[in-house]
Amino acid sequence: MTFDHETLPLLAEALKDLDAGFDRLPEVTPRVDVEGIRRVLNEVAERLRDNYPYQHPQYIGQMLKPPHPVARLAYSLAMFVNPNNHAMDGGRASSRMEKEAVAGLARMVGWEEHLGHLCSGGTMANFEALWVARELQPGKAVAASSQAHYTHSRLSSVLQVPFHPVPVDARGRMDVDALEKLLQSESIGTVVVTLGTTAAGTVDPLDRILPLREKYGFRLHVDAAYGGYFRLVEDLREETARAFAAIPAVDSVVIDPHKHGLQPYGCGCVLFRDPSVGRIYRHDSPYTYFTSDELHLGEISLECSRPGAAAVALWATQQLLPPVRGGEFAAGLEQGRAAALELHEWLSGDSRFVPLMEPELDIVVWAMWAETASESSRRARAFFAEAERRDVYLALASFPRGMVEPAGAVGDWDDESVVCLRACAMKPEHREWMRAIAGRLEA
Ligand SMILES: *Cc1c(COP(=O)(O)O)cnc(C)c1O
């Protein structure tokens, strides 16, 4: 069995509780075609078998972390009401839970005062941050590292803002000298700093970029969609810790609870340090916001209808596992990171594998040793397929020559990029499973 069945009866229990809150109303008997639903549902289960086993520790490929049972159950429970966090009219309790959950994330990044809300994911969250930045400094460009998520160049084009990629060092972190040269030659309004790149989990040196803001005056946006929760981890490398410690000084931050925060998809978060940017969202919808003077989240969000269930799930998860240092949730992140370091060490001891860098967070990337770049890529693809045959699920990612060459995996450069193997050790269970996983990889 790979799924947790034990908690499912809790949903029926809690649903009765929820129902009791409405028993002043006349009885209705919802008509449901139980047999029809059973038939379709079984067909769904059958079809969903065609997936990688994301829930299992032997899945260590893409950024996929199973939602916590409490998140699944709270989400399901909320769906019976199906609140819409656009306005208080659409969901009072879930809107308040969203404000509380978002405040929890803001405290995690070091802010008591803030403005923020949940949204569909990191793309939308980054979009809002870049949009606010554009409204505050029209005509100015966005800069992000060449290892930043591709969404930034695409979002800049949607916003019709010029975009400048900044080169990275051999470990995939923004090159601060190159950034300064760019700041001297172009009119940069916003620098996007990635704390935890999607491909390799590397961390831009935010602490060294901050002083440039004093000199050149730009907005600092942190894309921590993936890495944000590592603010809670205490055993980071010193330079990584310095970057995370600098977050409170930036203007906006994006964190995806659906990446590392144990949430189902559809849960991103954007946070602004200055609450007054809320004025940029102003609109005058004639048909919402009549029932209360409390803040309606739709007044500070670009998306209109939003799932209250996502807020309820995040709130419930944070009640059980508060996002604080030294807590159980933080310990889970530390275990994943320890698993990544163990995998890195194991790979380093075998001449067939060439890790590109020591993991900064919990992602491990390595090239296959080969005479030529194209042969290295071919071996990586073959290894990926062979691992899958042994029920270990990895991912592939392509890296530029500049990040592979220093590791010494390749003799002859017949290609400017190399396909590498990538493992995201995001589940706490990866700690105890790593030996078994390495055993299968060895085979
Ligand atoms: C995943 C990710 C995004 C995109 O977020 P989605 O939730 O997939 O829309 C943006 N930036 C970084 C650094 C990411 O890891």
Side-chain angles (χ1 to χ4, degrees), residues 109-310:
V109 308
W111 296 339
E112 277 305 323
E113 232 198 352
H114 67 279
L115 187 87
H117 61 87
L118 302 180
C119 54
S120 60
T123 304
M124 193 63 203
N126 278 302
F127 182 67
E128 294 200 21
L130 294 184
W131 171 67
V132 163
R134 185 196 72 179
E135 296 303 290
L136 292 171
Q137 327 164 87
K140 292 197 172 177
V142 169
S145 94
S146 58
Q147 283 291 308
H149 198 284
Y150 68 88
T151 197
H152 293 287
S153 70
R154 210 160 63 172
L155 293 174
S156 298
S157 109
V158 174
L159 289 165
Q160 300 199 309
V161 169
F163 177 83
H164 297 280
V166 183
V168 293
D169 65 15
R171 277 167 40 197
R173 300 168 308 168
M174 184 183 279
D175 177 334
V176 181
D177 294 332
L179 172 64
E180 180 153 23
K181 278 206 195 82
L182 183 69
L183 291 165
Q184 285 161 353
S185 64
E186 299 289 340
S187 172
I188 304 292
T190 305
V191 175
V192 177
V193 174
T194 307
L195 299 188
T197 57
T198 315
T202 55
V203 174
D204 287 344
L206 176 60
D207 52 307
R208 294 199 289 122
I209 295 168
L210 263 181
L212 296 178
R213 182 172 65 175
E214 315 308 321
K215 204 162 157 195
Y216 298 94
F218 48 80
R219 279 179 73 81
L220 260 174
H221 170 61
V222 162
D223 182 359
Y226 171 67
Y229 285 101
F230 282 89
R231 267 275 292 179
L232 305 175
V233 168
E234 305 195 50
D235 63 355
L236 296 174
R237 261 206 322 250
E238 201 193 314
E239 53 186 343
T240 311
R242 277 202 300 270
F244 275 95
I247 295 182
V250 308
D251 299 290
S252 50
V253 179
V254 161
I255 297 172
D256 263 359
H258 72 201
K259 287 251 177 78
H260 246 311
L262 299 165
Q263 299 309 298
Y265 286 115
C267 194
C269 180
V270 61
L271 296 164
F272 296 96
R273 183 166 51 115
D274 173 9
S276 78
V277 301
R279 70 188 184 279
I280 294 166
Y281 286 90
R282 185 171 299 149
H283 64 91
D284 40 19
S285 156
Y287 41 77
T288 44
Y289 319 149
F290 288 112
T291 53
S292 128
D293 295 333
E294 254 180 87
L295 174 72
H296 300 273
L297 288 160
E299 291 173 68
I300 57 153
S301 153
L302 276 186
E303 288 170 293
C304 297
S305 294
R306 289 177 313 113

Side-chain angles (χ1 to χ4, degrees), residues 1-6 55-56:
M1 213 152 51
T2 67
F3 295 112
D4 144 54
H5 296 254
E6 203 183 346
Q55 71 282 3
H56 197 280

Side-chain angles (χ1 to χ4, degrees), residues 47-112:
R47 292 199 67 158
L48 286 180
R49 289 177 178 197
D50 182 23
N51 267 305
Y52 286 126
Y54 309 117
Q55 71 282 3
H56 197 280
Q58 278 175 209
Y59 184 90
I60 187 172
Q62 307 285 356
M63 278 178 184
L64 287 147
K65 185 173 183 174
H68 194 278
V70 78
R72 273 199 294 262
L73 295 173
Y75 198 106
S76 307
L77 186 62
M79 273 197 296
F80 286 86
V81 182
N82 198 28
N84 181 344
N85 277 12
H86 176 225
M88 297 300 277
D89 316 37
R92 281 192 296 270
S94 52
S95 290
R96 290 183 190 125
M97 285 156 123
E98 175 166 343
K99 290 171 197 169
E100 289 170 33
V102 168
L105 293 177
R107 275 194 297 279
M108 182 176 88
V109 308
W111 296 339
E112 277 305 323

Side-chain angles (χ1 to χ4, degrees), residues 14-53:
L15 187 60
K16 283 207 185 103
D17 253 4
L18 174 60
D19 218 347
F22 299 94
D23 42 357
R24 66 184 180 282
L25 295 169
E27 191 80 23
V28 282
T29 320
R31 245 175 311 179
V32 284
D33 169 10
V34 174
E35 269 321 300
I37 295 175
R38 173 175 292 134
R39 198 181 59 245
V40 173
L41 212 53
N42 286 343
E43 201 179 320
V44 170
E46 193 72 35
R47 292 199 67 158
L48 286 180
R49 289 177 178 197
D50 182 23
N51 267 305
Y52 286 126

